[in-house]
Amino acid sequence: MTEPSARPTRAQQRHRTEERILAAARQIFAELGYDRTTIRAVASAAGVDAGLVMHYFGSKDLLFARAVEVPADELPGGTSGEVAEALLTSLGRRLTSEPAASLAVLRSMLTNADAADRYRAAAEPQLNQITEAIPTPDADLRASLLSAIVHGVIAERYLLRLTHLADASPEQIIDLLRPCFQSLTTPPSK
Amino acid sequence: MTEPSARPTRAQQRHRTEERILAAARQIFAELGYDRTTIRAVASAAGVDAGLVMHYFGSKDLLFARAVEVPADELPGGTSGEVAEALLTSLGRRLTSEPAASLAVLRSMLTNADAADRYRAAAEPQLNQITEAIPTPDADLRASLLSAIVHGVIAERYLLRLTHLADASPEQIIDLLRPCFQSLTTPPSK
DNA sequence: GTCTATACATTGATAGAC
DNA sequence: GTCTATCAATGTATAGAC
């Protein structure tokens, strides 16, 4: 037993550089997507060597996996109307400060099978929860459409930067989408 | 002047192989995206050599440009209600038989600046036409949201293959989205 | 016109020095 | 623990033979 209050240079130092590498990876993956991101670029941004990154994470795939792993955000269920509003607030949160990890997945989604799987895995519990709250036979399709809308808006705002979408305030976007979400979460009035 | 009815092996033969290469390129770009698509794979799929592809198109970028160039589909304008319905029919058409060129652009959009520009260029006239038909100050934002929804649905159906979205019939999707589109194209009833 | 051979750069990954 | 040196593979692009 060495003194417990001493600075543990070993594991602590490693953990710090590991976090630094992960932060750099998240940012670059989000900017360039999976394919265009190189180990060298990540290492350089983190101020370390490329070999060290490999030494820590084993491969580019594993680095990507570690960089984008994120606890699925909680989405409270409830009645159909409540779910619609919860989805809107969730969207609002993601429209104000979107974590780099989600953007990395979004951008890599279409070119990396791993990213696509991650996206699906993250979306599935959300989809199920939404599905349960919608009292129609086509609830699963409605939930999928809601998911598609959310991700379409985020993608075109953050990744594609369509001007009008990028400039608008989250509140404005949410207000415009509210009728959409309500119509999708409630059965036809017929 | 050689006999006009003879088979012009020169230009005609070239044109045929060029078209074969372009068809192969469209398909592979749509499947793999810009980055993962290699000249070699395109050449192989077209039954020719990689050098020939370079000889014809000059570079990978130019090949991509030629492969995905497509006349912007006409979107008739009109009143806000008519535009909503026109958008839905347009979406329905793209949900039944989507040309490979559009999918190639969609998949490459997030990783290739060229593809992103092409996407914007193709979307802009549509956006303007929609904007003009909506009689509200935030018409441009509404148009952008409509665009985001359309592309979100297409991306998750064709590229990500979310099961419920991939299995649903175009009519079912359109019917569910109709209220959304109407609420976005018409001013608040207030 | 079409294909072969190859130059040149870049990348992911490995082994070993400090 | 961190970095240098290097390997092997891949991909774009070029030059030239047939």
Side-chain angles (χ1 to χ4, degrees), chain B residues 3-25:
Chain B
E3 54 257 80
S5 65
R7 40 181 157 74
T9 29
R10 280 294 204 293
Q12 213 175 43
Q13 178 69 4
R14 160 154 186 156
H15 188 260
R16 286 184 55 184
T17 56
E18 226 182 76
E19 282 303 323
R20 221 169 57 239
I21 292 173
L22 283 177

Side-chain angles (χ1 to χ4, degrees), chain A residues 81-160:
Chain A
E82 287 168 3
V83 166
E85 208 55 40
L87 268 173
L88 286 171
T89 2
S90 164
L91 175 61
R93 206 172 31 229
R94 301 178 71 177
L95 283 181
T96 52
S97 64
E98 179 68 10
S102 298
L103 286 182
V105 177
L106 263 185
R107 199 184 281 278
S108 306
M109 197 167 49
L110 300 181
T111 51
N112 182 262
D114 232 52
D117 289 343
R118 262 164 226 295
Y119 168 84
R120 260 188 288 262
E124 195 188 358
Q126 259 204 1
L127 281 178
N128 288 338
Q129 214 160 358
I130 302 172
T131 303
E132 287 172 13
I134 303 177
T136 64
D138 56 358
D140 40 19
L141 176 56
R142 287 165 178 266
S144 297
L145 282 175
L146 283 167
S147 164
I149 293 176
V150 167
H151 293 110
V153 170
I154 290 180
E156 305 226 341
R157 176 187 174 96
Y158 278 105
L159 303 180
L160 226 59

Side-chain angles (χ1 to χ4, degrees), chain B residues 65-77:
Chain B
R66 289 284 307 276
V68 302
E69 75 185 6
V70 63
D73 48 18
E74 295 302 321
L75 182 70

Side-chain angles (χ1 to χ4, degrees), chain A residues 8-22 56-57 66:
Chain A
T9 30
R10 280 292 205 293
Q12 213 175 43
Q13 177 68 5
R14 161 154 186 158
H15 188 259
R16 285 183 55 187
T17 55
E18 224 182 78
E19 281 303 322
R20 220 171 57 240
I21 292 173
L22 282 177
Y56 278 176
F57 299 94
R66 290 284 307 278

